[in-house]
Amino acid sequence: AIRDVYKRQPLPFHEGDALRVVADGLPDPATLFVSNSMPVRDLDRFVGPTTTSVTALGNRGVSGIDGIVSSALGAGSATTDDLTLVVGDLALYHDGNGLLALDRCDVDATVVLVNNDGGGIFHALPIESFEPEFTEAFKTPHGIEFEPLADLHGLAYARVDARPDAGASTAGVADDLAEAYARARDADGSHLIEVRTEAEPSHRTRERLEAAVERAVHGDGSE
C-alpha cells in the first residue's frame, strides 16, 4: 500500500527515504546495522523485501541509543560482509569514541548519519506542542559538526543536505545520497555520509503517509 501512495502523490524527501536509498544500494552480501529510535522504525516502515543477502541487525531492550557504533563495528568484525551503519546524530554523539574499533578490530564501515540536530522520535508525543520544554528537554539540539569526527578517525566524509530550505528536489536528494553511498561502498576504507534533515517536517510526512495508507487499505469512511 505504501508504494502505491508514493506513486499517487509527490512527497518531500524525509528521513525514511534515507533508509530506503541505502537499502536499495546495499551490495550482496551485506550487513546492515540500524540504530534505535527513528532509524529502525523507518527501516520497518519504508524498506521493502529484497532478494539481496542482507543481515539486518540492531540493539533493542534497555540499551537505547547507547553503544550503537560499538555494536555495529563489533558485528562487522565477525563477518566478511560489507558493513553499513545507519545512525542518528545523538547516537553517534553518544558513542563517537566507538569509531576507535575501526582500527582496533580491522573493520571497514560505511556510516550513514541521519542528522536532524537532536532527537526526532518525541515529535510523536503530545509534548511536541509545548515550548520551550519540548526543544530544551526532548529535542535537545546540539549544533555539533561531525566532519571533524570523521577526520579524527580517518573516515572519508561526504554530506547530503536534505533540509527543506536547501532547495533540492526530492529526486535530487535521493540521487545525491545514492551516488555518495555507491562511491563509499565501492571504495576502500571507511566513510561517513552525513544526511542533514529536519525532524519535524520528516515526522509530518510520516503522518501523511500513515493516513494515506490507512485510507488506501480501509477506505475513507464515507460509506
Side-chain angles (χ1 to χ4, degrees):
I2 200 166
R3 290 205 265 311
D4 293 336
V5 171
Y6 267 102
K7 291 176 183 176
R8 287 199 297 267
Q9 58 179 301
L11 292 166
F13 188 94
H14 62 98
E15 292 166 357
D17 287 325
L19 272 295
R20 179 178 52 79
V21 170
V22 169
D24 286 346
L26 288 171
D28 190 354
T31 292
L32 174 65
F33 199 101
V34 182
S35 182
N36 286 6
S37 195
M38 292 313 304
V40 71
R41 288 169 171 80
D42 285 338
L43 177 73
D44 287 341
R45 289 178 176 178
F46 301 112
V47 176
T50 179
T51 57
T52 302
S53 178
V54 177
T55 301
L57 302 172
N59 283 347
R60 301 307 296 153
V62 299
S63 53
I65 61 171
D66 298 333
I68 295 294
V69 175
S70 299
S71 295
L73 297 182
S77 70
T79 179
T80 58
D81 293 354
D82 185 278
L83 173 65
T84 296
L85 165 64
V86 181
V87 64
D89 49 299
L90 290 181
L92 182 57
Y93 170 63
H94 272 269
D95 195 26
N97 285 340
L99 292 172
L100 289 167
L102 290 168
D103 288 332
R104 293 184 177 183
C105 296
D106 192 24
V107 178
D108 287 340
T110 299
V111 180
V112 179
L113 165 64
V114 181
N115 180 8
N116 57 31
D117 193 27
I121 194 168
F122 296 114
H123 281 283
L125 299 179
I127 189 63
E128 180 192 38
S129 302
F130 296 88
E131 289 291 358
E133 294 81 5
F134 174 70
T135 296
E136 291 178 354
F138 289 85
K139 182 173 174 58
T140 58
H142 48 74
I144 293 172
E145 294 291 334
F146 287 93
E147 185 174 3
L149 182 67
D151 291 340
L152 177 65
H153 292 283
L155 289 81
Y157 176 83
R159 175 183 291 174
V160 176
D161 199 335
R163 292 173 293 184
D165 59 2
S169 67
T170 299
V173 172
D175 288 344
D176 289 346
L177 177 54
E179 291 172 9
Y181 182 71
R183 287 195 300 269
R185 179 196 63 204
D186 297 338
D188 294 332
S190 293
H191 303 259
L192 175 63
I193 303 170
E194 180 179 1
V195 184
R196 292 298 309 273
T197 68
E198 289 184 9
E200 192 273 337
S202 283
H203 191 69
R204 297 288 86 83
T205 300
R206 292 187 191 96
E207 290 177 335
R208 288 173 58 194
L209 283 166
E210 182 178 0
V213 169
E214 181 77 14
R215 289 193 299 271
V217 174
H218 298 293
D220 59 11
S222 61
E223 295 183 2

